[in-house]
Amino acid sequence: MLSVVRVHLPSEIPIVGCEITPYVLLRLPNGVISTDDVPEDAPVDGHFMRYRWYRIQSDRKVAICSVHPMEQATIQCLGCLKSKIPAAKSYHCSAKCFSDAWQHHRVLHERASSALNENGAEEEELFGRFGSGSSGILNSGSGSMSNLGQSPGINNGPVPLYPSGSDKNSGETWFEVGRSQTYTPTADDIGHVLRFECAAADTEKKIPVGPPTSIMTSRVIPAPTPTPRRLIQVNGDVLGHLDIDSQTSSFGTFTVLSYNILADAYATSDTYSYCPTWALSWTYRRQNLMREIIGYHADIICLQEVQLNHFEDFFAPEFDKHGYQALYKKRTTEVYAGVPHAIDGCATFFRRDRFSHVKKYEVEFNKAAQSLTDAIIPPTQKRVALSRLIKDNIALIAVLEAKFGNQGTENPGKRQLLCVANTHVNVHQDLKDVKLWEVQTLLKGLEKIANSADIPMLVCGDFNSIPGSTPHGLLAIGKVDQLHPDLAIDPLGILRPVSKLTHQLPLVSAYSSFARMVGVGYDLEHQRRRMDPGTNEPLFTNCTRDFTGTVDYIFYTADSLSVESLLELLDEESLRKDTALPSPEWSSDHIALLAEFRCKPRIRR
């Protein structure tokens, strides 16, 4: 008969919005052990698998710290409740926790107050002086949160979806919340334990045969929320703020996001041992990444390290729901030796109401390497040369047509095209010649497109090259310093003569706009402190335990585009907290870059 051999959970902590699919091992009637489901519409020997999910609520109310989700909360910010901020974000495990998180927490208050038009109230009056338990912070010394009062995120008032049961001896009530193998926790589950039951059931009687096998989770926690990031205007002497939640690109402008999202194949506990395992799981990270990316409301999104299976099964359909069309190019596989569907690549998404797709170009650096070796490498050395040059890297180039017109030009009826390059130059740091050659190859391809059409260009991606390196110099200033020490590494002679390492595209790094801004002000100085004055680039876009530096960029052709605003940079000290990236709040080891551009009027020559 059909029976359950074993059940276990994929993650030790259930998180709101992250699907849970328990691992269920079955023994089929013929004795075969299988992990395949046996649904009611495809029974085996008159039996199928029946699943039930329950939320267990006890008489004792429990709240979870919004900063440290493994800790029980002991204080609550009443200012959050007054500002109608979700209750789950108002809880803290200690006074120190609240104090350390205040800079982030204050932003939530400011944005909520602005949305509600609550003007004129002093912050101290509205939120209370920190530490004064009777004014702005509601304290609980017992740890049971019994004096928290009514809270929709904790008391779970709604009538259960299915009939509920109770255990009077333990003071627990079981709310049946699901009848499938998978379950996605909701806000009502926060602070409560979930129970999963499975049993073989008779097809005709629809009842279990024998006692069910069950397993219980730990308490459900809310999804950690990262520090909000704002768009900061940089197109004038006055620095302004744009609320990214409500901001949409004005007529004639558009926003571009570039983000290395960290492929699941690389997100291992060995590499990122400082990140909790539940926060490294793909079921958690994909939802957290999606929330973050969609929250930026970008018109064009360039993602790197997108696995093929995740693009097909998750990102493409999810972005489609939000009005985006998708383009994808996976890395080539001459070197790759892992699971074929887990190979990563570059994905470009664009809003259908803002752009239409004109043409797609795919750059495979492996093919360029083959052509190069055929041309300059002796036959006896080709194998060695190819082993050095072939790294499976690619670039995805999309030509788009804007739907928002070409206002302000001398030919308002002319099509407004835009060329967007998205790449990940994933080359070991010791192979500086290969890295520079790949960037040069990409730029030469873009030059050909530029020569065939009068078209603004964007070059986005993770170049694995720090400011001041030869790839960065080639991108930013169009040439390479012939005395640069990186050029000493060129065993194949692929960089000679050095004079050929140039291009004619007027590329400028979008984030250098912060350094070029003229003016004073707290916000401008705040961003300048996060810039390297020597290179005019951010201090970091990649922050791990072993490396902190800038490797991601958005370059644009300055003769045809101007930067209107930029997504504010993060502060390393507040970002790191006790560890580095990825973290429960930020699900990649890179940070997202976003710029708003405006097309310049074309000048007749």
Side-chain angles (χ1 to χ4, degrees), residues 325-399:
Q325 185 172 332
L327 300 173
Y328 183 77
K329 172 60 179 173
K330 71 174 182 179
R331 295 176 63 194
T332 42
T333 56
E334 279 82 349
V335 177
Y336 184 76
V339 181
H341 68 263
I343 192 167
D344 65 287
C346 294
T348 299
F349 305 88
F350 58 90
R351 282 175 49 187
R352 297 188 193 91
D353 62 338
R354 301 280 288 169
F355 291 95
S356 59
H357 179 225
V358 177
K359 196 166 186 178
K360 171 185 175 183
Y361 298 92
E362 296 181 348
V363 179
E364 295 185 358
F365 294 111
N366 283 4
K367 289 183 178 179
Q370 184 68 57
S371 298
L372 178 68
T373 54
D374 288 345
I376 69 169
I377 304 297
T380 55
Q381 300 176 21
K382 281 184 63 175
R383 184 174 179 179
V384 173
L386 287 173
S387 67
R388 184 177 183 85
L389 290 171
I390 288 182
K391 301 303 171 197
D392 289 341
N393 295 327
I394 53 90
L396 172 62
I397 302 172
V399 177

Side-chain angles (χ1 to χ4, degrees), residues 78-79 82 119-129 132 135-136:
L78 290 181
K82 292 178 180 179
N119 299 317
E122 292 292 332
E123 184 178 274
E124 184 175 323
E125 178 184 344
L126 180 60
F127 304 115
R129 186 182 299 275
S132 58
S135 55

Side-chain angles (χ1 to χ4, degrees), residues 3-9 22-27 33-35 196 198 213 215:
S3 62
V4 179
V5 176
R6 184 161 60 94
V7 175
H8 79 261
L9 297 169
Y23 178 87
V24 180
L25 192 64
L26 302 176
R27 177 177 281 110
I33 303 298
S34 173
T35 57
F196 172 70
C198 60
T213 301
I215 191 169

Side-chain angles (χ1 to χ4, degrees), residues 9-16 20 53-56 62 64 69-71 183 185 189-196 215-222 277-278:
L9 297 169
S11 175
E12 70 270 31
I13 301 176
I15 304 151
V16 170
I20 309 172
W53 283 94
Y54 300 93
R55 178 172 70 242
I56 302 176
V62 177
I64 304 299
M70 294 299 292
E71 302 295 330
Y183 178 69
D189 299 321
I190 294 174
H192 300 290
V193 170
L194 299 175
R195 179 185 180 95
F196 172 70
I215 191 169
M216 295 173 66
T217 72
S218 57
R219 296 186 186 277
V220 175
I221 65 172
T277 54
W278 59 266

Side-chain angles (χ1 to χ4, degrees), residues 180-304:
S180 64
Q181 185 175 353
T182 62
Y183 178 69
T184 302
T186 69
D188 283 338
D189 299 321
I190 294 174
H192 300 290
V193 170
L194 299 175
R195 179 185 180 95
F196 172 70
E197 290 186 353
C198 60
D202 185 276
T203 305
E204 293 184 2
K205 298 179 180 180
K206 311 295 183 185
I207 59 174
V209 180
T213 301
S214 65
I215 191 169
M216 295 173 66
T217 72
S218 57
R219 296 186 186 277
V220 175
I221 65 172
T225 54
T227 304
R229 296 175 68 187
R230 297 171 292 179
L231 277 175
I232 298 180
Q233 189 175 336
V234 296
N235 67 342
D237 292 344
V238 179
L239 199 70
H241 297 288
L242 303 173
D243 186 350
I244 209 164
D245 286 337
S246 60
Q247 183 264 347
T248 56
S249 299
S250 60
F251 189 86
T253 69
F254 60 92
T255 51
V256 178
L257 175 78
S258 184
Y259 197 4
N260 181 326
I261 63 170
L262 178 60
D264 183 45
Y266 309 141
T268 65
S269 294
D270 289 340
T271 303
Y272 303 104
S273 58
Y274 50 82
C275 183
T277 54
W278 59 266
L280 274 180
S281 70
W282 180 242
T283 53
Y284 171 73
R285 290 203 308 118
R286 70 178 185 179
Q287 296 293 345
N288 205 34
L289 286 165
M290 198 69 194
R291 277 194 297 268
E292 179 192 356
I293 295 168
I294 290 299
Y296 293 132
H297 302 288
D299 297 310
I300 302 170
I301 298 170
C302 296
L303 303 183
Q304 301 88 43

Side-chain angles (χ1 to χ4, degrees), residues 78-87 108-109 112-113 116 118 127:
L78 290 181
C80 287
L81 301 185
K82 292 178 180 179
S83 301
K84 301 188 185 305
I85 293 170
L108 297 178
H109 289 174
S113 298
L116 294 171
E118 294 178 354
F127 304 115

Side-chain angles (χ1 to χ4, degrees), residues 46-115:
H47 294 85
F48 68 95
M49 288 304 302
R50 195 192 81 159
Y51 305 104
R52 294 291 186 269
W53 283 94
Y54 300 93
R55 178 172 70 242
I56 302 176
Q57 294 182 216
S58 65
D59 296 335
R60 180 172 174 264
K61 299 178 178 66
V62 177
I64 304 299
C65 176
S66 61
V67 179
H68 304 98
M70 294 299 292
E71 302 295 330
Q72 188 172 316
T74 60
I75 61 174
Q76 181 180 28
C77 174
L78 290 181
C80 287
L81 301 185
K82 292 178 180 179
S83 301
K84 301 188 185 305
I85 293 170
K89 298 182 180 181
S90 67
Y91 298 116
H92 294 268
C93 56
S94 66
K96 183 179 185 303
C97 169
F98 182 85
S99 179
D100 291 344
W102 175 245
Q103 291 302 320
H104 171 201
H105 204 76
R106 182 171 61 181
V107 174
L108 297 178
H109 289 174
E110 291 172 350
R111 296 173 70 181
S113 298
S114 175

